[in-house]
């Protein structure tokens, strides 16, 4: 881990050779709360969840903590797998050890799942650690699976690949994702085409609250140049620019159109 950046959440900045990453715990609480509310309403009691580009584990662990806080682990059998293209990031994720500063901006209930560790570190509680199975390193673009996953996360990763690779990734994901796709930082000009081609529809529950919680990604200036390296990362202020188009460009939760078991 290269360093920490204080925002609403403590951002962990990562670098391993040519690969750079940025992650945080509880990065978007409205997104977590919306998704867990949808799960609670589901008739399916056994759920397979996959996290792509999980970095050093903050995102899958955040999901588990909030599922524990809301008692969903007692109502549902939730099986979670996580992977990343970087083997060193995965090794760190499996340890579940982080700088103590990551807890500074957490809610009191969230902090209960982090235990003091040596050298000004904290360790994720065993009840959280044991809920996530880290699988061998893989690229979210090329990954395939014969095992179906009800929910697939690809958070803030598509910004690092080309629009063509995004299309390949979503086609592959659709082959093993049966219900919900949770994703953000995709290429906005092609996301609608790619989602429609693979049978996904955007879900707009709490869409504005979720959008506004990507605090570090929202910009106040004029629209970015599509050639900018931040084009798929930065977000404009929320606006229903087009009654149909905005649902794709600003959405983080997508559902297979043929599946209506959530929400």
């Amino acid at each position: 881990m290269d360093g920490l950046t204080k925002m609403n959440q403590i951002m962990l900045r990562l670098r391993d050779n040519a690969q750079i990453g940025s992650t945080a715990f509880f990065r978007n609480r409205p997104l977590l709360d919306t998704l867990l509310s949808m799960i609670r309403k589901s008739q399916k009691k056994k759920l397979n969840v996959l996290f792509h580009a999980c970095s050093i584990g903050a995102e899958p662990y955040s999901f588990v903590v909030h599922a524990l806080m809301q008692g969903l682990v007692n109502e549902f059998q939730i099986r979670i797998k996580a992977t990343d293209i970087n083997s060193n990031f995965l090794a760190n994720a499996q340890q579940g050890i982080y700088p103590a500063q990551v807890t500074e901006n957490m809610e009191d209930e969230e902090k209960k799942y982090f235990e003091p560790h040596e050298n000004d570190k904290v360790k994720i509680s065993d009840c959280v650690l044991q809920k996530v199975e880290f699988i061998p390193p893989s690229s979210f673009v090329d990954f395939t699976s014969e095992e179906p996953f009800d929910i697939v996360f690809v958070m803030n990763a598509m910004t690092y690949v080309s629009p063509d690779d995004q299309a390949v990734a979503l086609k592959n994901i659709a082959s093993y994702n049966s219900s919900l796709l949770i994703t953000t930082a995709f290429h906005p000009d092609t996301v609608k085409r790619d989602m429609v081609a693979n049978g996904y529809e955007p879900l707009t529950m709490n869409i504005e609250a979720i959008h506004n919680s990507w605090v570090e990604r929202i910009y106040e200036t004029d629209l970015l140049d599509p050639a900018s390296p931040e084009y798929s990362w930065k977000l404009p202020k929320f606006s229903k620019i087009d009654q149909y188009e905005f649902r794709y460009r600003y959405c983080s939760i997508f559902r297979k159109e043929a599946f209506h078991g959530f929400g």
Side-chain angles (χ1 to χ4, degrees):
M1 281 174 272
D2 281 338
L4 302 167
T5 302
K6 288 189 178 182
M7 304 186 77
N8 278 7
Q9 299 82 24
I10 303 296
M11 300 298 297
L12 297 159
R13 305 295 182 184
L14 317 167
R15 182 183 294 273
D16 185 42
N17 296 322
Q19 290 173 336
I20 300 172
S22 177
T23 191
F25 284 95
F26 315 114
R27 199 167 186 173
N28 194 313
R29 292 183 179 91
L31 174 58
L32 280 173
D33 291 343
T34 300
L35 176 60
L36 291 171
S37 176
M38 293 173 65
I39 290 174
R40 188 180 295 280
K41 296 174 184 177
S42 172
Q43 298 301 309
K44 191 170 184 180
K45 298 302 179 182
K46 293 183 179 180
L47 299 173
N48 281 349
V49 181
L50 174 65
F51 282 82
H52 277 304
C54 75
S55 187
I56 54 173
E59 287 171 352
Y61 289 145
S62 295
F63 176 83
V64 173
V65 167
H66 271 244
L68 287 165
M69 286 168 53
Q70 297 189 27
L72 288 182
V73 293
N74 299 321
E75 299 178 40
F76 296 84
Q77 182 180 327
I78 304 176
R79 186 166 174 249
I80 300 167
K81 291 186 177 182
T83 185
D84 192 274
I85 196 171
N86 188 297
S87 60
N88 290 329
F89 290 173
L90 282 176
N92 278 284
Q94 288 175 299
Q95 293 178 5
I97 298 171
Y98 305 94
Q101 298 99 306
V102 298
T103 64
E104 287 183 6
N105 293 340
M106 289 183 188
E107 298 172 354
D108 289 343
E109 189 67 20
E110 294 166 346
K111 291 180 182 179
K112 293 178 182 178
Y113 294 92
F114 295 80
E115 303 167 356
H117 195 70
E118 58 190 16
N119 300 323
D120 293 321
K121 307 275 187 166
V122 291
K123 188 176 188 297
I124 200 83
S125 299
D126 284 345
C127 65
V128 178
L129 197 68
Q130 294 168 2
K131 294 289 185 184
V132 182
E133 176 188 353
F134 292 96
I135 60 177
S138 62
S139 162
F140 72 90
V141 176
D142 303 322
F143 183 91
T144 59
S145 175
E146 293 183 3
E147 176 184 13
F149 290 93
D150 302 282
I151 303 171
V152 174
F153 284 79
V154 187
M155 304 300 288
N156 303 296
M158 292 193 202
T159 190
Y160 298 109
V161 302
S162 68
D164 287 343
D165 280 345
Q166 173 176 287
V168 172
L170 289 173
K171 182 178 180 180
N172 284 334
I173 290 167
S175 71
Y176 55 82
N177 174 216
S178 60
S179 308
L180 297 179
L181 171 59
I182 317 301
T183 186
T184 185
F186 38 67
H187 294 276
D189 296 334
T190 58
V191 65
K192 177 182 171 184
R193 177 202 69 189
D194 295 340
M195 290 297 181
V196 170
N198 292 290
Y200 287 103
E201 61 180 349
L203 299 183
T204 58
M205 298 86 74
N206 299 326
I207 187 173
E208 186 168 1
I210 293 170
H211 179 277
N212 291 337
S213 291
W214 299 120
V215 177
E216 75 276 16
R217 294 176 54 205
I218 296 176
Y219 64 90
E220 305 288 337
T221 59
D222 294 335
L223 291 177
L224 291 178
D225 183 339
S228 165
E230 293 191 313
Y231 186 63
S232 61
W233 168 252
K234 288 293 188 179
L235 289 168
K237 286 184 177 180
F238 184 84
S239 171
K240 295 184 179 180
I241 51 176
D242 176 276
Q243 289 299 313
Y244 185 67
E245 187 77 20
F246 88 93
R247 300 186 308 141
Y248 287 90
R249 296 175 71 93
Y250 296 160
C251 195
S252 295
I253 304 175
F254 295 85
R255 178 176 61 186
K256 282 288 188 72
E257 291 177 340
F259 183 83
H260 297 284
F262 292 92

